């Protein structure tokens, strides 16, 4: 930031920078929880998805003959059936899944019953099959694996070794009449589970983290 800018707005400029980085750190950590490589950042639940079935995240297959880029009531039920600790789980979905999620319903005789419930109160989430549903830009687009995610985040280990630190230097860009700002944080995170759980009397594995296969 230039010295002129800081002098002209001695209170607002630094405060805006700090608030902006605080927001960005928060949103970036959401992305890392999903897709982090585990090297210098969190290990994401979709990165930990193992095609061999040895990872902690379960991927549920699409329905036979299901058209591309669709979400069905049966998909939500299949994900619900594979979720361990559903009473503490939340749904994450891309915004472009909303039109189809709002139309999901359970057939009852000649009628139906909606499984998606819009929030009845301000600042409260919508509900899907009885659990909160949050729309996120970090969920994949409709039809891709990860467009809808069911996760019990109580089973995700996360530690903040050092909260966000803000530092300022007048020396880095001294000849340019600029101040340099640095923001950093030390933390770590990964799924608590190494592998999904195989129940005693079933071959269908359970996990706190469940995604839906691609429907391309």
């Amino acid at each position: 930031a230039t010295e002129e800018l800081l002098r002209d707005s001695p209170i607002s400029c630094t405060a805006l920078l700090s608030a902006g980085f605080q927001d960005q750190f928060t949103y970036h950590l959401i992305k890392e929880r999903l897709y982090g490589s585990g090297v210098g950042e969190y290990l994401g639940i979709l990165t930990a998805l193992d095609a061999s079935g040895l990872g902690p995240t379960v991927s549920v297959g699409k329905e036979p003959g299901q058209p591309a880029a669709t979400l069905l009531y049966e998909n939500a039920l299949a994900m619900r059936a594979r979720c361990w600790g559903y009473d503490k789980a939340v749904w994450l979905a891309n915004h472009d899944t909303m039109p189809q999620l709002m139309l999901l319903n359970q057939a009852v005789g000649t009628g139906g019953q909606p499984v998606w419930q819009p929030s009845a109160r301000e600042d409260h989430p919508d509900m899907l099959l009885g659990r909160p549903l949050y729309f996120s830009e970090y969920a994949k687009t409709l039809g891709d694996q990860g467009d809808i995610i069911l996760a019990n985040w109580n089973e995700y280990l996360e530690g903040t070794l050092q909260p966000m630190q803000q530092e300022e230097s007048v020396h880095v860009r001294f000849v340019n009449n600029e101040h340099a700002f640095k923001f950093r944080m030390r933390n770590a995170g990964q799924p608590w589970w190494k592998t999904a759980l195989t129940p005693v009397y079933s071959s269908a594995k359970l996990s706190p983290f469940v995604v839906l296969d691609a429907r391309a």
Side-chain angles (χ1 to χ4, degrees):
T2 64
E3 291 185 1
E4 289 82 0
L5 178 61
L6 293 172
R7 289 196 185 99
D8 293 344
S9 55
I11 299 177
S12 60
C13 182
T14 303
L16 284 171
L17 281 173
S18 180
F21 272 89
Q22 184 68 59
D23 287 345
Q24 183 57 34
F25 272 47
T26 299
Y27 292 123
H28 192 77
L29 291 180
I30 296 174
K31 185 177 182 180
E32 285 191 12
R33 290 185 189 101
L34 299 177
Y35 312 111
S37 66
V39 179
E41 60 182 3
Y42 288 1
L43 176 62
I45 61 173
L46 272 81
T47 308
L49 179 65
D50 193 333
S52 66
L54 299 178
T57 304
V58 167
S59 184
V60 174
K62 64 181 182 180
E63 294 298 302
Q66 181 174 349
T70 58
L71 281 173
L72 305 178
Y73 171 60
E74 290 79 5
N75 297 146
L77 286 185
M79 294 178 69
R80 164 67 181 88
R82 304 290 295 279
C83 182
W84 187 93
Y86 185 72
D87 59 326
K88 298 180 179 66
V90 296
W91 298 87
L92 295 177
N94 190 290
H95 294 81
D96 57 15
T97 66
M98 184 184 294
Q100 296 195 33
L101 286 173
M102 293 178 67
L103 296 176
L104 293 185
N105 65 84
Q106 178 183 12
V108 180
T110 58
Q113 178 177 346
V115 298
W116 179 84
Q117 295 177 316
S119 174
R121 296 175 57 189
E122 187 177 356
D123 297 328
H124 282 65
D126 301 326
M127 305 291 284
L128 178 63
L129 292 177
R131 294 303 302 163
L133 168 66
Y134 298 95
F135 293 98
S136 171
E137 62 177 312
Y138 296 116
K140 293 298 181 73
T141 190
L142 179 63
D144 289 351
Q145 185 186 61
D147 59 348
I148 183 168
I149 301 163
L150 180 58
N152 175 0
W153 294 107
N154 285 357
E155 302 303 312
Y156 190 91
L157 293 175
E158 182 175 347
T160 300
L161 309 177
Q162 186 177 32
M164 190 184 81
Q165 303 292 308
Q166 175 181 333
E167 299 174 4
E168 180 180 350
S169 172
V170 298
H171 305 293
V172 177
R173 301 280 294 176
F174 178 75
V175 297
N176 301 93
N177 294 323
E178 294 176 349
H179 287 224
F181 295 86
K182 179 171 68 175
F183 298 85
R184 57 193 175 91
M185 177 186 293
R186 291 181 59 230
N187 53 16
Q190 67 180 51
W192 200 346
W193 294 36
K194 292 295 185 182
T195 61
L197 171 67
T198 301
V200 177
Y201 299 113
S202 174
S203 60
K205 294 185 177 183
L206 304 177
S207 172
F209 313 110
V210 183
V211 297
L212 183 61
D213 280 351
R215 284 130 290 132

